[in-house]
Amino acid sequence: MVLRSIASRLALGVLVGSAIVLIVTGGLLLSHTRGQMLRQAQSEAAAVSDAAATRIQGRIDAVAKVAQVVAGVLSTRRDQAPGVIHDILAVNPELVDISAAFVPRDVNHLRPEDAPVARRDGDGRLVAADRLSDPEPYWSSPWFVRGLNCDHGCWQPPFRSAAREETLIGYSVAIPGKDVPVIGVADATISLGWLQQLLGELAKPEHASAFVADANGDFLAHDWRSYIGTRGSKPLLQAIANKQNPVRITPEDGGRVSEPVWVYFVPIRGTRWTFGLSMPERQVLADLRHTYYIDVLLGVLALMGVSLITLVITRRLMAPLTVLADRAENVSRGDLDFVLPEVRRNDDVGRLTRAFDQMRHQLAGHIDTAQRIARDQARMTSELEIAGQIQLALIPDPHWITDDGSLEVHAALRPASAVGGDLYMYFPLGTRHVCVMVGDVSDKGIPAALFMARTITLARTIATHARSPSDILGTLNRELCKGNDTCMFVTLLCGVIETETGLLSLASAGHEQPVLHAGGSAILVDVETGPALGLDREAEYPVRVLSLLGGDTLLMYTDGVSEAHAGNQRLYGTHALLDSVGRIDEGASPETYVDRVLEDVDAYTAGAPAYDDIALLVLTWHDTGAEGARIHAVVHS
């Protein structure tokens, strides 16, 4: 329900879009900041490592200098070795001992001067001794062999001193000889305790641990003392060998760590040692995470703030549209009686509101007009229905037969609309004559209906004073011409039958020729016609006289039959009418003729709306006693 409003959807869209932007930019910023922090940590570690390496370098340089001085002095003063090393040890308190081991001249007659040692005991006193009592002959010991090959000095592997209970390491320098290149080895030994103390004194980053490893990767000193004397992990040794600095080591890589760490290292010049600084990645990136969490929190707050502001602003901007939506529902229910809030804005919303209000007023006006038109149409329809009823009341009943049964009439009137202009009429003229009429007014609708009513009324009045169809049509024509400014006219076929003889007189005022069905065939009765009624006051109408024999049927109709058509626009025509009448059995009633013709016309038009009014009048002469030949004659009055 909440998301039905545009304001809520827009606020949600802004929130989602901003969140996506924040996530993408946050990710890029995190990657960039992570790189920066790693570089910063590397710089910091490099500074610490360089400082530590420099301090270690200074310390071991002093040791190396002492060993080199001893080697230089003893190259020419072999026999004075015990005193020389004692004096030099006395002035170098950082040293634990100084050894001078010479290549023995006769291993069977060794002398203490061949391998003198000056040591400093735990109380700081100097003790003179020799290496002749070593468990292994010194001249075959690895340290001595290595020392003979160290013309410029080298560090020996660290070893554990049982007497001092500490780890020592010696710096050996080959003693050059006068006649041979090397005559012995001078060795200055120091304790690695100072190296361990130096690591503790370094200003390292929090949670960082320092170490010093020799050329083999064995830890000479380590903040984690249990690591001293052990060998570094394989990833660390590979990184040192490949000079991959810094290196990230994880437990999965085989490192001896419980979490990912970054190791920064620097070689100590003059030695094959390496100073290293290990920092947990978690700690390196701790500030980054802290900053990132703060940034995320601020970002979320910013998103919520932006969304809230967007929601408020959008709702305020869209408030008129919400009212318009509600009012549009009122319009859909037909309720236009409401008032829109006044909008003074000239933006799209303001224009839309004013246009909607204007449309509402126009729609209300159109609805009033449509309702008025509907009422007018309903009233007109009612009036037309009444007019149609009145029109039908003017014409006689559809079926009529004379008292003696000699003449039977059946008629039908089918208006194309509520009222029409076609008419039929029959009425007796005295006791021996019957007048029949079928007519068609030129127009349709109300004017035609009124003209038809006028024609019927005049015709009935005039026929009572006339005996000939010609007289009836002539008098009726003159009356209809009076005041006929609209030039309306009516075609009319008028017949007068003598009920004793069946003699039929016909006169036509521009009307369709009647159809005579006699002797099993249908023919058109050739009635000479005059002009339609209402156009020419001087018009004359010839009379066709026809004697009917028993069983003869005469069909009088309007052009609504002969000109009926459907979608193909082809007229029904008189040939179809003759065929329809010809297929009716002789002796059929007039009602059968009317029904058959109407059925055939309906079948031809296939249910299409009627093109014109239809009027049919069928009369059948039943007097079978009439004898003689049929008379066809034209009489001009």
Side-chain angles (χ1 to χ4, degrees), residues 26-255:
L28 295 176
L29 179 61
L30 177 62
S31 176
H32 178 71
T33 306
R34 182 176 183 273
Q36 276 191 330
M37 299 198 72
L38 289 177
R39 287 191 293 272
Q40 182 180 355
Q42 181 181 1
S43 299
E44 186 176 357
V48 174
S49 300
D50 288 341
T54 301
R55 293 180 62 181
I56 294 172
Q57 183 69 41
R59 193 66 174 269
I60 64 176
D61 282 351
V63 176
K65 188 66 177 179
V66 170
Q68 290 170 356
V69 169
V70 170
V73 171
L74 296 181
S75 63
T76 57
R77 300 169 62 183
R78 174 173 179 169
D79 294 339
Q80 300 175 8
V84 171
I85 61 176
H86 180 274
D87 295 342
I88 294 177
L89 181 62
V91 298
N92 292 279
E94 73 276 9
L95 296 180
V96 174
D97 66 45
I98 299 177
S99 299
F102 294 96
V103 175
R105 291 170 179 163
D106 185 355
V107 296
N108 295 322
H109 296 88
L110 295 175
R111 298 178 307 161
E113 293 81 5
D114 290 338
V117 177
R119 291 193 175 96
R120 181 176 281 112
D121 62 14
D123 297 333
R125 292 178 300 175
L126 300 185
V127 177
D130 59 61
R131 289 185 176 273
L132 299 181
S133 59
D134 288 352
E136 182 182 3
Y138 74 87
W139 61 86
S140 61
S141 300
W143 72 272
F144 183 78
V145 176
R146 284 193 295 268
L148 291 177
N149 295 300
C150 294
D151 295 339
H152 302 289
C154 63
W155 286 95
Q156 297 286 354
F159 60 93
R160 185 70 179 176
S161 172
R164 295 179 64 91
E165 294 183 352
E166 61 182 342
T167 302
L168 305 178
I169 188 169
Y171 185 85
S172 299
V173 178
I175 303 174
K178 182 182 295 182
D179 298 327
V180 294
V182 177
I183 60 174
V185 175
D187 183 85
T189 304
I190 61 173
S191 171
L192 288 181
W194 68 270
L195 189 58
Q196 189 68 32
Q197 182 180 0
L198 184 143
L199 296 184
E201 295 173 351
L202 294 175
K204 301 185 292 294
E206 189 178 4
H207 301 290
S209 59
F211 65 86
V212 176
D214 63 8
N216 295 325
D218 296 331
F219 292 115
L220 301 177
H222 202 295
D223 282 337
W224 295 52
R225 292 180 179 275
S226 60
Y227 281 24
I228 297 175
T230 63
R231 181 158 295 180
S233 63
K234 185 177 179 180
L236 176 62
L237 298 181
Q238 288 179 347
I240 294 175
N242 298 331
K243 298 181 180 179
Q244 181 185 354
N245 189 21
V247 60
R248 183 176 183 266
I249 300 175
T250 66
E252 293 77 14
D253 296 333

Side-chain angles (χ1 to χ4, degrees), residues 376-421:
D376 293 343
Q377 289 180 341
R379 185 181 66 254
M380 184 175 295
T381 301
S382 177
E383 291 175 354
L384 286 175
E385 291 178 354
I386 296 174
Q389 295 173 0
I390 295 175
Q391 187 181 27
L392 292 177
L394 295 176
I395 59 177
D397 294 335
H399 190 82
W400 179 74
I401 187 170
T402 57
D403 296 336
D404 58 2
S406 61
L407 179 64
E408 183 177 6
V409 178
H410 191 84
L413 180 61
R414 182 189 288 180
S417 57
V419 293

Side-chain angles (χ1 to χ4, degrees), residues 319-344:
L321 293 182
T322 303
V323 175
L324 287 181
D326 296 338
R327 298 299 178 262
E329 293 179 353
N330 292 353
V331 172
S332 65
R333 294 192 297 268
D335 178 15
L336 300 178
D337 188 14
F338 54 80
V339 178
L340 290 174
E342 183 178 359
V343 177
R344 298 180 179 178

